[in-house]
Amino acid sequence: MVELILGGARSGKSALAEQRASEGGRQVIYIATAEAGDEEMAERIAHHRERRPEAWLSIEEPLALAAVLAENAAADRTVIVDCLTLWLSNLMAADEARLNDEREQLLRLLPSLPGRVVLVSNEVGLGIVPDNPLARRFRDEAGWLNQRVAEHAARVTFVAAGLPMILKGE
Amino acid sequence: MVELILGGARSGKSALAEQRASEGGRQVIYIATAEAGDEEMAERIAHHRERRPEAWLSIEEPLALAAVLAENAAADRTVIVDCLTLWLSNLMAADEARLNDEREQLLRLLPSLPGRVVLVSNEVGLGIVPDNPLARRFRDEAGWLNQRVAEHAARVTFVAAGLPMILKGE
Amino acid sequence: MVELILGGARSGKSALAEQRASEGGRQVIYIATAEAGDEEMAERIAHHRERRPEAWLSIEEPLALAAVLAENAAADRTVIVDCLTLWLSNLMAADEARLNDEREQLLRLLPSLPGRVVLVSNEVGLGIVPDNPLARRFRDEAGWLNQRVAEHAARVTFVAAGLPMILKGE
């Protein structure tokens, strides 16, 4: 079962993903897509890491998400991906040509993944249109990605102030 | 019946409006408020147009929305307006003095429109306060407009990741 | 009972808070956290003030919110705080060292407040990541504050286009 957890910055979406993963009683694999490129990001990553149980296996993968998911998903496991938005941003920044390929790989893979997969993603389209053309394009790509992933998810939850609203599933 | 479909950029709000219009079995009139002022906007318009059935009649009207609605709404028709936010932006950019007049005309007209009317609008107030005073004013005007249109709508739906949440109606 | 009303700019969250306060039949105390630092803010404040019944007592307090709440909450009163986001912004601008202290005071106080307390707050994390590091930090602080306040609230409502969605409680 694939589920998508959507929310704003500091909405509690990662904590909800971690809570759902803990409830399953399965082995948990945590795939972090963030890269500690600067001090601010390093702090954000450390903050997230502190909260996770030590028994969880953590993998850092900024780009090749489908390959890492294919390798790690299993019937007796829960895999968390935190988050799709950073992965998209990494692909747009690092290797634009690879973006389509990686995205299509991920979308083809989702319906066949065994076990439980919890995908975390940001909603970024509810502010004023950005001045910056690259930010506008990122906003478009992020919105499209969320729509396409939501199609494949059995459950989609929107989180605000740490509280879940179910958009799809139960 | 007037309905309002609210959502962020690339949230799937136009697709939902089009799906609802298709279900009705009525003749569909599509009122586009976008103007192809630059290449980026021309591409966005083309992208939307491709998706629409050829039988639908399209009208482009950036400013005189109430007049075009009054002329085209009919008991056996569904009229889509995509979208109110661009129309507001066009009025603010082109002819500020006309803004109040056009808006009041629209709000007076809504309760009496025959047939089905599906209005698409952006929620733009959920990001950081913009630095730019014009953007702040636009954000205020857009929020107020959404509130006032929602009062007249029998159904209001918020869309995220292509998934509807009903805020009003059924 | 503490309730939190969350929403974007011009979403109708203040009007909803005022409506709920009016329904209670209790004496209403309105705590405004805005400071009329410039003309634009003075207009926003005046706009909010016009709408409020004259019988309501208004208090302006940009920083010492916990102290003012402790002093004014009572079993036969409803206290509205409009809004937490401006209060956070005031603390970050005026006296960063005081921020932690004031916030912890507020969070400790909430569970024990008598009567009814309606807290209004902005959701600001659903747009593109801001370029400005201070805006990013504000966005983080605002999101965390909303999560922590929501934990203590018996009811949390998200407002869009003037329409409420209940996230917690009834």
Side-chain angles (χ1 to χ4, degrees):
Chain A
M1 173 197 167
V2 171
E3 76 168 292
L4 173 63
I5 296 183
L6 262 185
R10 304 303 175 200
S11 61
K13 56 194 187 308
S14 296
L16 179 67
E18 291 163 21
Q19 183 198 314
R20 292 221 173 129
S22 303
E23 288 164 2
R26 302 168 181 207
Q27 190 195 357
V28 179
I29 313 287
Y30 185 98
I31 303 176
T33 60
E35 288 182 297
D38 60 20
E39 200 185 331
E40 184 181 330
M41 190 51 94
E43 269 179 41
R44 285 170 189 263
I45 292 173
H47 172 82
H48 275 228
R49 190 179 289 141
E50 272 170 28
R51 204 171 48 196
R52 299 198 296 264
E54 288 196 10
W56 293 11
L57 179 64
S58 280
I59 298 170
E60 292 183 16
E61 178 48 57
L63 300 171
L65 183 56
V68 171
L69 263 174
E71 204 176 312
N72 285 283
D76 57 350
R77 285 181 170 178
T78 295
V79 181
I80 300 177
V81 177
D82 192 356
C83 69
L84 294 180
T85 319
L86 271 173
W87 165 73
L88 178 69
S89 170
N90 293 338
L91 281 166
M92 284 178 68
D95 187 349
E96 180 87 25
R98 198 171 156 187
L99 171 59
N100 274 329
D101 181 45
E102 287 289 344
R103 187 178 46 210
E104 297 314 309
Q105 274 188 52
L106 177 72
L107 292 165
R108 270 199 310 273
L109 184 68
L110 288 181
S112 64
L113 283 171
R116 203 163 157 207
V117 177
V118 183
L119 306 167
V120 176
S121 190
N122 280 70
E123 170 59 55
V124 300
L126 289 160
I128 281 287
V129 179
D131 289 334
N132 176 338
L134 187 63
R136 284 202 296 280
R137 205 193 129 215
F138 176 69
R139 193 169 83 135
D140 286 353
E141 294 288 353
W144 280 319
L145 181 66
N146 286 340
Q147 287 187 53
R148 294 185 67 190
V149 171
E151 280 176 30
H152 294 297
R155 179 161 62 182
V156 180
T157 307
F158 186 90
V159 187
L163 299 167
M165 260 180 285
I166 305 289
L167 297 182
K168 181 180 178 180
E170 288 178 28
Chain B
M1 172 198 168
V2 172
E3 75 169 293
L4 173 63
I5 296 182
L6 263 184
R10 303 304 175 201
S11 61
K13 57 193 187 308
S14 296
L16 180 67
E18 290 162 22
Q19 183 197 315
R20 291 221 174 129
S22 303
E23 288 163 4
R26 302 167 182 208
Q27 190 195 359
V28 179
I29 314 287
Y30 184 97
I31 303 176
T33 59
E35 288 182 298
D38 59 20
E39 200 184 331
E40 184 182 331
M41 190 51 93
E43 267 179 40
R44 285 171 190 262
I45 292 173
H47 172 83
H48 275 228
R49 189 179 289 141
E50 271 171 25
R51 204 172 49 196
R52 298 198 296 264
E54 288 195 11
W56 293 11
L57 179 64
S58 281
I59 298 171
E60 294 184 15
E61 179 47 58
L63 300 171
L65 182 55
V68 172
L69 264 174
E71 203 176 313
N72 285 283
D76 57 350
R77 284 181 171 177
T78 295
V79 182
I80 301 178
V81 176
D82 192 357
C83 67
L84 294 181
T85 319
L86 270 173
W87 166 73
L88 178 68
S89 168
N90 293 338
L91 281 167
M92 283 178 70
D95 188 349
E96 180 87 25
R98 197 171 159 188
L99 171 59
N100 274 329
D101 181 44
E102 286 289 345
R103 187 179 45 211
E104 298 314 309
Q105 275 188 53
L106 176 72
L107 292 166
R108 271 198 309 273
L109 184 67
L110 288 181
S112 63
L113 284 171
R116 202 163 159 207
V117 177
V118 183
L119 305 167
V120 176
S121 190
N122 280 71
E123 169 60 55
V124 300
L126 289 159
I128 281 287
V129 179
D131 289 333
N132 177 339
L134 187 64
R136 283 202 297 278
R137 204 191 129 217
F138 176 69
R139 193 169 82 135
D140 285 353
E141 295 289 353
W144 280 321
L145 180 66
N146 286 341
Q147 287 187 53
R148 294 184 68 189
V149 171
E151 281 176 29
H152 294 296
R155 178 160 63 182
V156 180
T157 307
F158 186 90
V159 188
L163 299 167
M165 260 181 286
I166 306 289
L167 297 183
K168 181 180 179 180
E170 287 178 29
Chain C
M1 173 199 168
V2 172
E3 76 169 292
L4 173 64
I5 296 182
L6 263 184
R10 302 303 175 202
S11 61
K13 55 193 187 310
S14 297
L16 180 66
E18 291 163 22
Q19 183 198 315
R20 292 221 173 129
S22 302
E23 288 164 2
R26 302 166 181 210
Q27 190 194 358
V28 179
I29 313 288
Y30 184 98
I31 304 176
T33 60
E35 289 182 298
D38 59 19
E39 200 185 331
E40 185 182 331
M41 190 51 92
E43 268 178 40
R44 285 170 189 263
I45 292 173
H47 172 82
H48 275 229
R49 191 179 289 143
E50 271 170 28
R51 205 171 47 196
R52 298 197 298 263
E54 288 196 10
W56 294 10
L57 179 64
S58 281
I59 298 171
E60 293 184 15
E61 177 48 57
L63 301 171
L65 183 56
V68 172
L69 263 174
E71 204 176 314
N72 285 282
D76 57 349
R77 285 180 170 178
T78 295
V79 182
I80 301 178
V81 176
D82 192 356
C83 69
L84 294 181
T85 319
L86 270 173
W87 165 73
L88 178 68
S89 169
N90 293 338
L91 281 167
M92 284 178 70
D95 188 349
E96 180 86 26
R98 197 169 157 188
L99 171 60
N100 274 330
D101 181 44
E102 286 288 345
R103 187 179 45 209
E104 297 313 309
Q105 275 188 53
L106 177 72
L107 292 166
R108 270 198 310 273
L109 184 67
L110 288 180
S112 63
L113 283 171
R116 203 163 158 207
V117 176
V118 183
L119 306 167
V120 176
S121 190
N122 280 70
E123 170 59 54
V124 300
L126 289 159
I128 281 288
V129 179
D131 289 333
N132 177 339
L134 187 63
R136 283 202 297 278
R137 206 192 127 214
F138 177 69
R139 193 168 83 135
D140 285 353
E141 295 288 352
W144 280 320
L145 181 66
N146 287 340
Q147 287 188 52
R148 294 185 68 191
V149 171
E151 280 176 28
H152 293 297
R155 178 160 63 182
V156 180
T157 307
F158 186 90
V159 187
L163 300 167
M165 259 180 286
I166 305 288
L167 296 183
K168 181 180 179 181
E170 286 178 30

